[in-house]
Amino acid sequence: MAEDDAIYTELGGVEGYLNQSCHRALAVLLYVHALDIAITYAILKKLVKIDAVRFMLRNHTCEHFPFLGISEHFHLGDAVLRCRTTFYTALTRLLLIDLGEDEDEFELFMMPLTTTFENLTQLFNSNFKQDKAKCMLIGLSRDLRGIAFALNTKASYTMLFNWLYPGYISILQRAIELWYHEPSCTTPILKLMAELVHNRSQRLNFEVSSPNGILLFREASKMISTYGNQIQTLGNISKDQVYPLKLKGISICFCALKAALCGNYVSFGVFQLYGDSHFDNALQAFLKMLLSICHNDLLSFRKLSLSYYSLLECLTQDHMKFVSNLEPHVVIYVLTSLSEGLNALDTEISSACCASLDYIVTHLFKQLAKSNKKSLRMRQVAQEGERLLCTMQQNPEILQQMLSILMNCIIFEDCRNQWSMSRPLLGLILLNEKYFSELRRNLISNQDPEQQQTLNACFEKLMEGVEQNLLIKNRDRFTQNMSIFKRDVTETLRICTTANTPVDMMS
């Protein structure tokens, strides 16, 4: 006891909590959580020596921690349930100090959750009380999310996956099917899945012979597809309830899908090769959810915006075949959302839009180059992206509008992500040379005669040394020219008289 007191005193003076073991344990967890990244391994080694901590690692049950249980006073939105994620994150960090590859120790640590899952399984197989089952499921989801967040090594994460799959994860799938319309239930489950598919610190680096990466994605696909299809049945939702009842869950699904697609632990070509539809199902669910959202809502809720535009960037970067084969109305929806996102005040959103637009424009430029060649083989290769190319040729105003938006941002606004905007801009100029010339003339003609020559020289320097291709060296040259162009044009327009205020490039 005296040794414990000395450790507590050294760790920050929390002697006031030394009377009861439960309070002592919670004090340690609060200390771990407060320090977070700043906490050192040496301090954690001292923490796990405390008797209360060792006891807690074996006895994190409602008997010793009442907030882990279910009482008649609890309700689904209780704030105490949210604290459980933090509790288990801190607790798991302490477990990892001496865990290593000891699977028996991990199973022992997970025993309280195993018992709860077994009880929940029995409830699902009988005429159960839904409120009780929901509370148990919400608590388990939050607990597991906290544990998963702390497991940043391959060995420890694999232990959790082997414990969770296949038996317990099927219960989560069943819950999504039953209670898709109740965000208090679906939100913690979807967030848990988003955490499980997140390849943080390369923890999802499974062995070559292991199917775990594919199995994990299949489970994520099932959950996203189930939720995405079921949420469409809600019908009309009032404006003040559309985010909590629908858009929040969709946003989490987008985050989960993005994490899975960008995790580099699944070869997605395997699904098509062996006739597995889970990859296509996930993408189709994404499209259904996306098309059910109006453009205004995409930018009205920041979390939804970030999750959508980040996912779109991933799709355009690594799955352009899917994007190039979208139906024309879907392509127009996506490009319209990009056009609106370019104007977003949030640079994280506008930068993601620029990256997505760059991948799309680069693809179009390459496909157009192939289609213009007389080689039969080249024409066959170009057919893959023909639908996207045809859609753009039939609706040239979409790319022209984005060219105008980017030029206006660079010339007239305090552009904080100028590099990001310069990348798709070159491709847009090369695809719309005639329209770019019109924009240029429009801007110059609205200035004083003495400024027109200066502005004309700025535009000449912008394309100086730039070739008709999108190779990295050529892109870098254009980006350098753009930086000089921005500086010179801003200075030129600054000295314009008030009577001849510059007109934006879309006028």
Side-chain angles (χ1 to χ4, degrees):
M1 183 69 175
E3 181 183 357
D4 283 5
D5 292 352
I7 293 176
Y8 269 94
T9 302
E10 179 181 351
L11 294 177
V14 288
E15 299 92 334
Y17 290 95
L18 297 177
N19 295 327
Q20 300 179 18
S21 61
C22 179
H23 286 164
R24 290 159 59 82
L26 286 174
V28 172
L29 290 180
L30 289 172
Y31 181 78
V32 172
H33 178 64
L35 289 182
D36 199 14
I37 299 175
I39 197 167
T40 65
Y41 180 79
I43 293 176
L44 287 174
K45 288 288 287 184
K46 292 181 179 180
L47 284 171
V48 295
K49 293 179 180 179
I50 299 174
D51 289 338
V53 174
R54 290 197 293 266
F55 175 83
M56 178 175 53
L57 289 172
R58 299 288 180 89
N59 299 276
H60 43 97
T61 63
C62 59
E63 179 183 354
H64 303 284
F65 300 94
F67 68 90
L68 294 178
I70 300 174
S71 72
E72 59 183 7
H73 303 294
F74 274 20
H75 56 85
L76 298 182
D78 203 313
V80 174
L81 291 172
R82 298 188 180 96
C83 298
R84 294 172 63 151
T85 302
T86 302
F87 174 81
Y88 270 96
T89 297
L91 192 63
T92 307
R93 284 175 179 166
L94 293 170
L95 171 71
L96 291 175
I97 295 302
D98 297 320
L99 179 63
E101 299 180 2
D102 191 341
E103 295 183 8
D104 292 336
E105 182 66 23
F106 182 79
E107 292 284 347
L108 195 60
F109 172 76
M110 297 296 288
M111 188 57 66
L113 282 78
T114 302
T115 302
T116 305
F117 253 125
E118 293 298 334
N119 294 336
L120 191 58
T121 302
Q122 293 178 5
L123 283 177
F124 269 81
N125 293 330
S126 61
N127 295 324
F128 60 97
K129 294 181 179 180
Q130 291 202 14
D131 287 344
K132 181 179 179 181
K134 289 175 186 176
C135 283
M136 293 174 66
L137 194 65
I138 293 169
L140 276 171
S141 299
R142 294 190 181 279
D143 298 346
L144 287 171
R145 182 182 167 210
I147 294 172
F149 182 82
L151 299 179
N152 283 334
T153 65
K154 172 185 173 181
S156 60
Y157 180 89
T158 302
M159 292 181 198
L160 175 64
F161 181 81
N162 291 335
W163 177 86
L164 189 62
Y165 182 87
Y168 297 149
I169 203 168
S170 63
I171 298 177
L172 302 178
Q173 300 283 6
R174 176 82 183 282
I176 290 292
E177 294 176 7
L178 290 175
W179 302 313
Y180 65 91
H181 55 286
E182 298 188 40
S184 57
C185 295
T186 57
T187 295
I189 296 174
L190 292 173
K191 284 186 174 181
L192 169 60
M193 182 56 71
E195 179 58 42
L196 289 173
V197 297
H198 196 310
N199 195 11
R200 184 180 294 105
S201 302
Q202 296 300 306
R203 62 184 182 176
L204 298 180
N205 184 20
F206 298 114
E207 302 295 338
V208 175
S209 59
S210 172
N212 287 353
I214 294 175
L215 294 175
L216 178 59
F217 180 82
R218 289 178 64 178
E219 294 303 321
S221 172
K222 290 178 186 176
M223 189 169 292
I224 292 171
S225 299
T226 299
Y227 182 82
N229 292 327
Q230 295 281 60
I231 204 67
Q232 307 301 322
T233 64
L234 289 182
N236 294 328
I237 305 174
S238 60
K239 189 174 182 180
D240 61 324
Q241 290 296 309
V242 67
Y243 183 77
L245 289 180
K246 177 181 177 182
L247 299 183
K248 184 175 183 179
I250 290 177
S251 175
I252 300 171
C253 286
F254 287 175
C255 286
L257 184 56
K258 187 260 182 181
L261 293 178
C262 298
N264 293 322
Y265 55 89
V266 181
S267 176
F268 294 103
V270 170
F271 291 95
Q272 183 178 6
L273 183 64
Y274 292 101
D276 191 318
S277 63
H278 285 89
F279 179 56
D280 288 335
N281 291 344
L283 295 180
Q284 292 304 317
F286 156 68
L287 291 180
K288 288 182 180 179
M289 290 186 284
L290 176 62
L291 295 176
S292 71
I293 306 172
C294 66
H295 283 113
N296 289 337
D297 286 339
L298 275 179
L299 288 171
S300 297
F301 305 99
R302 186 174 186 272
K303 288 185 178 179
L304 177 61
S305 300
L306 288 175
S307 62
Y308 165 63
Y309 287 114
S310 297
L311 172 56
L312 186 58
E313 180 181 353
C314 177
L315 287 171
T316 53
Q317 180 180 11
D318 299 323
H319 303 279
M320 197 61 213
K321 181 179 179 181
F322 164 73
V323 177
S324 66
N325 286 310
L326 293 176
E327 294 291 336
H329 72 281
V330 181
V331 172
I332 292 174
Y333 181 98
V334 170
L335 290 175
T336 303
S337 70
L338 283 177
S339 179
E340 295 177 353
L342 292 174
N343 280 318
L345 297 177
D346 192 321
T347 55
E348 192 171 354
I349 293 174
S350 61
S351 295
C353 289
C354 288
S356 299
L357 180 58
D358 185 28
Y359 292 125
I360 292 173
V361 169
T362 301
H363 177 82
L364 287 171
F365 187 85
K366 290 180 179 179
Q367 292 298 323
L368 189 61
K370 291 176 181 177
S371 65
N372 288 335
K373 292 184 178 180
K374 296 182 179 180
S375 169
L376 177 61
R377 186 183 69 85
M378 286 297 184
R379 288 184 181 276
Q380 291 174 341
V381 171
Q383 287 178 357
E384 176 186 315
E386 188 175 352
R387 175 177 288 178
L388 178 61
L389 186 59
C390 289
T391 302
M392 291 296 94
Q393 289 174 337
Q394 293 169 6
N395 301 273
E397 69 281 357
I398 298 177
L399 293 182
Q400 292 172 359
Q401 182 185 31
M402 286 192 272
L403 173 56
S404 299
I405 290 172
L406 289 178
M407 290 301 298
N408 276 316
C409 288
I410 291 172
I411 294 176
F412 298 106
E413 298 179 12
D414 182 16
C415 184
R416 291 175 292 175
N417 54 343
Q418 183 176 306
W419 186 92
S420 297
M421 290 191 169
S422 72
R423 306 313 274 188
L425 184 57
L426 175 58
L428 288 171
I429 291 174
L430 295 180
L431 288 174
N432 300 275
E433 292 182 289
K434 183 178 178 181
Y435 183 74
F436 178 67
S437 298
E438 293 176 2
L439 289 177
R440 172 178 170 175
R441 286 195 300 271
N442 181 60
L443 175 67
I444 295 175
S445 63
N446 282 283
Q447 312 309 319
D448 287 334
E450 59 270 21
Q451 306 296 339
Q452 291 182 7
Q453 187 174 358
T454 304
L455 286 174
N456 190 61
C458 291
F459 276 96
E460 290 294 332
K461 291 181 181 179
L462 174 62
M463 303 304 294
E464 188 176 276
V466 177
E467 301 175 356
Q468 297 285 318
N469 64 66
L470 294 178
L471 300 178
I472 293 179
K473 183 178 180 180
N474 198 44
R475 288 172 178 268
D476 291 341
R477 179 61 184 267
F478 178 79
T479 299
Q480 293 172 3
N481 290 357
M482 177 61 69
S483 180
I484 299 172
F485 173 82
K486 165 69 174 174
R487 182 197 64 198
D488 293 346
V489 170
T490 301
E491 178 63 22
T492 301
L493 296 180
R494 185 182 64 82
I495 61 177
C496 286
T497 60
T498 306
N500 292 304
T501 303
V503 180
D504 70 31
M505 301 194 73
M506 295 181 70
S507 298

